[in-house]
Amino acid sequence: MGYAMAQNVRKSMPSTGRLYIFGVFRSACERFQTEMEGTSAVVVVDSAREAVEQAPTVISIVPNAADVRQVYLDEENGVIAAR
């Protein structure tokens, strides 16, 4: 999911909620987490699977077919592996 969209999602969540994020560019995730510090809980996770295991709702925006397959179908770290 893009940076601006993640900001909008976080802003629409209850202040007590946590937003678990995973992305191809971990540095962007960490920058987002730092910028949101003190205003809301953002947790950077190591895989799509970890995000799914922690969150009651999953929103994904993935740019192309290869990334979709990786995020959802990877046997070890994908969304499907969490279920």
Side-chain angles (χ1 to χ4, degrees), residues 1 5 9 12-13 19-20 22 55 57-62 72:
M1 158 181 332
M5 190 167 295
V9 168
S12 70
M13 293 173 60
L19 177 63
Y20 296 91
F22 167 72
T57 304
V58 175
I59 300 170
S60 68
I61 298 176
V62 186
Y72 281 90

Side-chain angles (χ1 to χ4, degrees), residues 2-71:
Y3 197 90
M5 190 167 295
Q7 284 179 316
N8 289 335
V9 168
R10 180 56 250 184
K11 288 176 186 176
S12 70
M13 293 173 60
S15 61
T16 57
R18 286 190 178 147
L19 177 63
Y20 296 91
I21 59 173
F22 167 72
V24 175
F25 301 107
R26 186 173 180 94
S27 61
C29 293
E30 290 169 348
R31 182 178 61 128
F32 178 76
Q33 182 183 41
T34 299
E35 289 181 10
M36 299 303 284
E37 249 176 38
T39 60
S40 62
V42 174
V43 180
V44 179
V45 296
D46 294 323
S47 68
R49 178 182 182 159
E50 187 178 350
V52 170
E53 289 173 341
Q54 299 296 325
T57 304
V58 175
I59 300 170
S60 68
I61 298 176
V62 186
N64 60 53
D67 291 331
V68 170
R69 282 190 293 277
Q70 180 182 357
V71 167

